[in-house]
Each structure stands twice: as structure tokens, then as C-alpha cells.
Amino acid sequence: MNRPAPVMPPPLDVVAALARAGRLLLAELPALLMAGLVLVMLPAVAARAFALEGDWPTLVTTLRALAAMIFVAMASTGALARAQGRALAVPLFVREGLARATPGVQVALLAGCAVMLGLILQLFAQHGTLAGWALDALLLTAGLWALSVALPAVPVAVAEALPPRAALARAAALTAGNRNRVLVVVLITGLALAPAAALVAGLGGGLALWLAAALEWLAWSVAAVVPAAVYVGLVPWNS
């Protein structure tokens, strides 16, 4: 008995995905600012303003990462709702985002663990040597490949209420045949954020704390909205 052929996702329109991400970011700006102030910006300013010693920096970094993952899951929920014609007011954005955050947070934390593993491996690189450059190139290539395969994993988990393993498998199925296009979206997004990051890195003083926190909020907002926009462009019902 012949099995039906799997439904392939439509080709991703890179320009449309980026434009959709920009529209969603602007449309969700009030809710993103409200949630980001509490979950991203204030923790970032506090962490940089106070010189902590001992085990406290590790604990603070872990709590900040968890708060950021919750923010990403909430932002994904709001962006997906708006993309499907449901504009969530700020209170509903928070309530529904928190209610549906668990699958997205689990996937985001798994991705964060993979990033940490890469950073740990990078510590073993002998920088300035051929082996060090090779390891750095390998880690960069692996990271870009992982993004091209699993970029929409968090919105998949949020929209379809899937556990991490199933969400990653579903994301890989959606990006099949579109990974070069997904990679283009990732590279354009990274290049768009790079000038702002370089500007903030050159500033000092109290203003720099808030600018750095604002940039971190923007980066996390983009990290939530762009995958959601890509997901909307890949799901079969959107074609």
C-alpha cells in the first residue's frame, strides 16, 4: 500500500519573511516593551550595576537567561497570534504568553545549553594557531547549520504545544528544502543588529548601561519575532 507523500512546506520568501518580522515587531512594540522592561532590561541593568562576587554572578546569569527565555516564549505567542489575525492587548499578551510559555521555554533552554556547550568547547581552542582557527570555524559552521535547521523551533513549540524533541523534529521538517533561505534570514538579521552592538560597546557610563540593556531587549525581541515570522511563512496552512 502506497503511503501518501508528505506535505512539503512552501518555499520561504526571504523578503516577505523579513518584512513580516518588521511588521510584527512594530505591531507588538508596546507589549514587547512592557514585558521586556521587566524580564530583560531591568535585570540587565541591575546585573551590570552591581559588582557581585563568589557564586552570585553565575546565579544571576542563570536567572537572567531564564527570564529571557520566558520573554522569548511570550513574544512568540504574541507575534503568532497577531500573524493569525488576533491582536493581543498587553494584559492578554502577558497572560496568554505565560500560560503557553512552558513548551517554548523548554526548547529555548535546550538551545541555550547547546550554545553554552559551544562556548565551553571554544575555551579549548588554542587561539592564534591553525587548530584554534579550525575549531572556531567548525563551531561557527555548526551554529549556522543548527539555526538553518531549527530556527522556528520555539514558535513551533508554542503554537503546536510540542515538547522539545518533537518541536525540533517538526522545525527540521518545516525547514527542509528551505535551509539556505532560512540561513539568509539569519545572516541579514545578524548584520542588521551588528552596528548597534558595536556602537553600544564603545560607550561608557550610566547611559551605556541602559543602552546596552535596550540593545539586549531588541536582540531578544528580534530573536523571538524573526523565527515566528519564518514559521508563519513555512506552515502549510499559510500557503
Side-chain angles (χ1 to χ4, degrees), residues 3 13 84 93 129 139 151 157 169 207:
R3 295 183 179 180
D13 187 328
Q84 297 175 30
F93 175 97
T129 66
L139 291 173
L151 183 71
L207 179 61

Side-chain angles (χ1 to χ4, degrees), residues 15-78:
V15 174
L18 291 170
R20 184 184 302 115
R23 291 194 301 270
L24 291 174
L25 189 63
L26 291 175
E28 295 297 318
L29 196 58
L32 291 173
L33 280 170
M34 182 71 68
L37 179 65
V38 175
L39 293 172
V40 178
M41 286 189 278
L42 287 177
V45 170
R48 292 183 175 94
F50 299 102
L52 300 175
E53 298 178 353
D55 294 331
W56 285 104
T58 301
L59 176 61
V60 169
T61 299
T62 302
L63 292 176
R64 284 182 59 202
L66 178 60
M69 298 303 102
I70 295 172
F71 173 75
V72 168
M74 290 174 62
S76 293
T77 301

Side-chain angles (χ1 to χ4, degrees), residues 31-161:
L32 291 173
L33 280 170
M34 182 71 68
L37 179 65
V38 175
L39 293 172
V40 178
M41 286 189 278
L42 287 177
V45 170
R48 292 183 175 94
F50 299 102
L52 300 175
E53 298 178 353
D55 294 331
W56 285 104
T58 301
L59 176 61
V60 169
T61 299
T62 302
L63 292 176
R64 284 182 59 202
L66 178 60
M69 298 303 102
I70 295 172
F71 173 75
V72 168
M74 290 174 62
S76 293
T77 301
L80 290 171
R82 185 172 291 273
Q84 297 175 30
R86 294 177 55 238
L88 302 181
V90 174
L92 186 57
F93 175 97
V94 174
R95 289 200 302 272
E96 187 167 327
L98 288 174
R100 301 176 64 179
T102 300
V105 170
Q106 290 174 342
V107 173
L109 287 174
L110 185 61
C113 290
V115 172
M116 289 301 299
L117 177 60
L119 293 175
I120 292 171
L121 289 175
Q122 192 179 35
L123 294 176
F124 293 96
Q126 298 296 318
H127 297 288
T129 66
L130 181 60
W133 292 333
L135 179 57
D136 286 339
L138 179 62
L139 291 173
L140 177 61
T141 302
L144 292 175
W145 174 82
L147 284 171
S148 70
V149 172
L151 183 71
V154 170
V156 163
V158 169
E160 303 180 23

